[in-house]
Amino acid sequence: MNSPRSILFIAFLVVSFFLYQNWVVESAPGTTAPTNSESTQQQAADSAGSNDVPSGSVAASSDVPEAEGASKTSSATTIHVETDVLDVQIDTRGGDIVSAKLLQFAKELNSDKRFQLLQNESNAVYVAQSGLIGADGIDNKNGRAVYSYEKTDYSSTSEKVEVPLTYTTESGVVYRKIFTFTPGQYDVDVRFEIENNSADTLSTQFYGQLKRSMGTGESGSMIMPTYFGAAYSHDDDKFEKYDFDDMLDSRLDVTSQTGWVSMLEHYFVSAWIPTQQQTNRLFSRVANGSQAIIGVVYPATQVNPNSTETIESKLYLGPKDQDSMAQLVEHLDLTVDYGFLWWLAQPIFKLLQFLQSIVINWGLAIILTTVIVKALLFPLTKAQYVSMAKMRMLQPKMTELRERYNSDRQKLSQEMMKLYKTEKVNPLGGCLPMLLQLPIFLALYWVLLESVELRHSEFIFWIQDLSTKDPYYILPILMGASMFLMQRLQPTPATDPMQQKLFQYMPVVFTVFFLWFPSGLVLYWLVSNLITIAQMLIIYRGLEKKGMMVRGNKKK
């Protein structure tokens, strides 16, 4: 396989891959409205359990209904908490986190506005809810508990912040819901303390759920398809996507001792992380036909008279930081979804991360990664061009065989194989390096697409965000020019006029195709081309000295 044909083959595979990705996006969560029958069936199920919260799962339609009583006031308010990384609002009705801004991440490049992960707007709901259900739960058909509070504003960038909320029943049972925020961390400890001052044994269950409007969020584009929906992990599966269409079709209902539930978008994630020492129930449902809910329910906790029990959980609200998520719970780092090439993408990311820690620039880290990859592939690249040169030298003999056995395909094939064996030529020797570069290209594509570390990371001059396209299209044009130069260096152009035309337009096609690629990926491809050009010049010079280079069918 000669180099232009290899490039064409890779182009076909890459285009096919992205067309497939686009098809996945078109049929992905939130992109297709539920049918009338689906919506009707789901809403009917919602209505059936709208004022009832079963002990085994949560079935509230639009949260658990409003509560009438409270220990301090029946009117709910919001509590503001700010650390160096999080700015959240907690609703005292239910103690839900109804707003969360990530202070280390701008909404857009060079914007003063911070990225908002959670919000509670009429047209866009995305909240983290938790409470106590069961026989003696305070979140039930009678409504959500409205907690009393000590103050409405907390702020610290150096010390832990504890936000205590309290609800006291008429029988004297005290329910405390305590949020603990740690500076520099995106995980929030959520702890319930149940002080039973009554004469009866209490039974209650913790639940935590994430609720999000299905019509909000983006699934990316053909070039940059990104997942928007839910995901979970349990005993039998490390990481499972569970999109909104899946929720409409059937409810999630599994038990597991390990795992978590989450809502995902491009670079950010929210996740309830239950304790891993008990058998919990993971569930999902759709409320009002438009709001997706995924959550976890603990087994019942028994609280004896005159005793106190504590129930703990964690809530993660932040970026898809693989290192920090891996420390919180097993497999949460898999929400950084590198696709089926994760086994290749993860080492590439680790290499990028290591190099960036040295050069302090993600663009330079990409260049160094490219140099390392091309150096590792150089033996195969050399073998490729040597094989191509030998194949060219055999062209006269191959032409003679085709003319001799034109009417006998089987005999022609046998004689061809005999010729390859005699001359010690592998007809597929030119393909291997190209095929090896394709998974590397795709793996790096996913790394640059999914890794939040590259979001808003600048390179030099006009490249201020390696995760988005080049605003002036300079890198794609340079990449196209490098492809054109590579073609000019090919010792044997295609002889077929149609192929010649096709190869001539390949740099143009690739240039147009790469206009919308992340600039970090285009940078990789450009540097790879430049290194390939240098390698071609070195290899061809050596082959010329050995008399193996031919142009047309003549030795040079």
Side-chain angles (χ1 to χ4, degrees):
M1 179 183 290
N2 59 38
S3 189
R5 289 184 179 179
S6 300
I7 293 174
L8 181 61
F9 177 67
I10 283 187
F12 171 75
L13 291 180
V14 170
V15 171
S16 300
F17 165 75
F18 286 115
L19 287 175
Y20 168 75
Q21 286 285 83
N22 188 52
W23 174 80
V24 171
V25 169
E26 289 299 322
S27 58
T31 60
T32 305
T35 63
N36 290 337
S37 59
E38 287 176 335
S39 179
T40 302
Q41 290 172 4
Q42 185 64 55
Q43 288 180 12
D46 294 342
S47 299
S50 60
N51 293 318
D52 185 24
V53 183
S55 60
S57 63
V58 176
S61 60
S62 56
D63 305 338
V64 182
E66 300 288 329
E68 297 180 357
S71 56
K72 180 176 181 180
T73 173
S74 60
S75 299
T77 187
T78 56
I79 297 174
H80 174 244
V81 184
E82 184 173 340
T83 68
D84 57 335
V85 297
L86 286 173
D87 183 339
V88 307
Q89 299 280 345
I90 302 173
D91 190 346
T92 56
R93 186 180 301 280
D96 300 331
I97 298 183
V98 295
S99 174
K101 293 180 180 179
L102 309 184
L103 300 180
Q104 301 298 316
F105 294 88
K107 181 179 180 180
E108 298 174 348
L109 183 64
N110 299 323
S111 172
D112 291 333
K113 292 184 177 180
R114 301 295 89 186
F115 181 84
Q116 184 151 0
L117 184 64
L118 302 186
Q119 58 184 326
N120 191 22
E121 305 295 336
S122 58
N123 60 341
V125 174
Y126 185 10
V127 295
Q129 302 173 310
S130 59
L132 297 175
I133 58 174
D136 298 293
I138 53 177
D139 299 297
N140 49 44
K141 64 181 180 180
N142 294 322
R144 304 292 302 280
V146 179
Y147 292 92
S148 63
Y149 50 90
E150 295 179 357
K151 56 181 182 178
T152 59
D153 191 76
Y154 295 82
S155 179
S156 177
T157 59
S158 58
E159 297 179 353
K160 285 187 177 183
V161 175
E162 279 204 350
V163 181
L165 304 176
T166 305
Y167 181 85
T168 305
T169 66
E170 294 179 356
S171 59
V173 179
V174 180
Y175 295 86
R176 297 185 184 89
K177 186 174 187 178
I178 303 168
F179 294 89
T180 303
F181 297 82
T182 304
Q185 295 182 195
Y186 293 96
D187 55 296
V188 181
D189 291 321
V190 182
R191 183 173 80 252
F192 280 90
E193 294 179 355
I194 307 167
E195 183 182 335
N196 185 5
N197 297 315
S198 71
D200 300 319
T201 298
L202 305 179
S203 177
T204 186
Q205 292 177 272
F206 166 85
Y207 79 92
Q209 65 184 28
L210 300 163
K211 182 174 74 170
R212 182 165 195 174
S213 300
M214 293 187 291
T216 60
E218 297 181 358
S219 297
S221 61
M222 173 181 174
I223 302 300
M224 296 181 63
T226 56
Y227 179 73
F228 166 60
Y232 64 94
S233 176
H234 63 104
D235 292 341
D236 299 326
D237 202 328
K238 297 178 181 178
F239 173 67
E240 182 72 25
K241 290 179 180 177
Y242 192 71
D243 63 40
F244 299 150
D245 287 338
D246 291 334
M247 290 189 185
L248 286 167
D249 292 338
S250 62
R251 295 186 180 186
L252 173 67
D253 185 8
V254 298
T255 56
S256 177
Q257 185 171 339
T258 62
W260 39 264
V261 294
S262 67
M263 286 285 185
L264 308 181
E265 54 189 278
H266 192 178
Y267 291 115
F268 305 98
V269 58
S270 62
W272 276 108
I273 305 170
T275 57
Q276 309 287 295
Q277 293 83 35
Q278 59 193 16
T279 301
N280 304 309
R281 181 178 295 277
L282 311 183
F283 70 90
S284 77
R285 62 185 307 279
V286 176
N288 303 324
S290 62
Q291 295 175 340
I293 295 174
I294 188 167
V296 59
V297 175
Y298 284 13
T301 297
Q302 305 298 320
V303 187
N304 295 323
N306 300 315
S307 66
T308 301
E309 293 289 341
T310 300
I311 306 174
E312 297 180 334
S313 184
K314 280 185 180 292
L315 174 65
Y316 183 85
L317 302 170
K320 292 181 180 177
D321 185 321
Q322 298 178 64
D323 295 334
S324 60
M325 289 192 297
Q327 294 176 5
L328 284 176
V329 66
E330 196 173 16
H331 309 315
L332 186 59
D333 57 323
L334 296 181
T335 55
V336 182
D337 186 13
Y338 290 145
F340 67 92
L341 288 174
W342 59 268
W343 52 271
L344 183 58
Q346 287 184 343
I348 289 176
F349 174 74
K350 293 297 182 183
L351 176 61
L352 271 172
Q353 198 175 38
F354 171 73
L355 294 173
Q356 192 275 338
S357 68
I358 298 174
V359 299
I360 318 300
N361 184 295
W362 283 102
L364 293 177
I366 291 173
I367 292 175
L368 292 176
T369 299
T370 310
V371 172
I372 292 172
V373 170
K374 295 297 290 185
L376 292 174
L377 291 177
F378 181 73
L380 291 174
T381 302
K382 185 176 179 180
Q384 171 193 11
Y385 288 110
V386 170
S387 177
M388 288 164 55
K390 289 182 178 180
M391 288 294 292
R392 293 188 188 99
M393 292 181 68
L394 291 180
Q395 284 300 318
K397 294 182 180 180
M398 293 172 66
T399 302
E400 182 182 343
L401 288 175
R402 290 192 185 96
E403 292 174 353
R404 182 183 305 176
Y405 302 105
N406 185 41
S407 59
D408 191 342
R409 291 285 182 179
Q410 184 176 355
K411 183 65 175 178
L412 175 60
S413 178
Q414 292 174 351
E415 291 298 323
M416 284 284 194
M417 294 305 295
K418 186 183 298 182
L419 178 63
Y420 294 149
K421 186 176 181 179
T422 302
E423 299 293 337
K424 297 180 180 180
V425 174
N426 182 1
L428 299 178
C431 302
L432 186 57
M434 289 293 179
L435 293 176
L436 285 176
Q437 288 186 60
L438 178 60
I440 293 174
F441 169 82
L442 294 179
L444 188 59
Y445 163 81
W446 269 311
V447 168
L448 297 180
L449 181 66
E450 278 287 310
S451 300
V452 68
E453 290 82 358
L454 275 79
R455 183 180 186 265
H456 297 172
S457 294
E458 62 180 291
F459 176 37
I460 55 172
F461 307 129
W462 73 99
I463 302 296
Q464 298 296 309
D465 187 354
L466 287 164
S467 67
T468 60
K469 66 180 183 180
D470 184 336
Y472 303 110
Y473 306 114
I474 296 175
L475 286 180
I477 292 173
L478 291 176
M479 189 279 303
S482 68
M483 283 193 66
F484 178 77
L485 181 57
M486 286 173 62
Q487 282 192 357
R488 300 291 295 177
L489 289 174
Q490 294 299 326
T492 305
T495 56
D496 182 72
M498 183 63 70
Q499 286 189 4
Q500 286 182 351
K501 286 285 186 183
L502 191 60
F503 295 150
Q504 287 174 2
Y505 285 110
M506 282 303 296
V508 177
V509 172
F510 262 67
T511 299
V512 174
F513 195 58
F514 273 63
L515 290 178
W516 290 274
F517 266 65
S519 54
L521 190 64
V522 184
L523 176 64
Y524 161 77
W525 199 265
L526 170 61
V527 174
S528 179
N529 283 353
L530 294 176
I531 296 174
T532 299
I533 290 171
Q535 290 178 339
M536 288 170 66
L537 292 173
I538 294 171
I539 294 170
Y540 286 164
R541 192 168 300 169
L543 294 177
E544 286 175 354
K545 292 180 180 180
K546 295 179 180 180
M548 296 178 63
M549 288 296 292
V550 293
R551 294 194 180 273
N553 289 325
K554 297 179 181 179
K555 289 186 180 181
K556 185 177 178 181

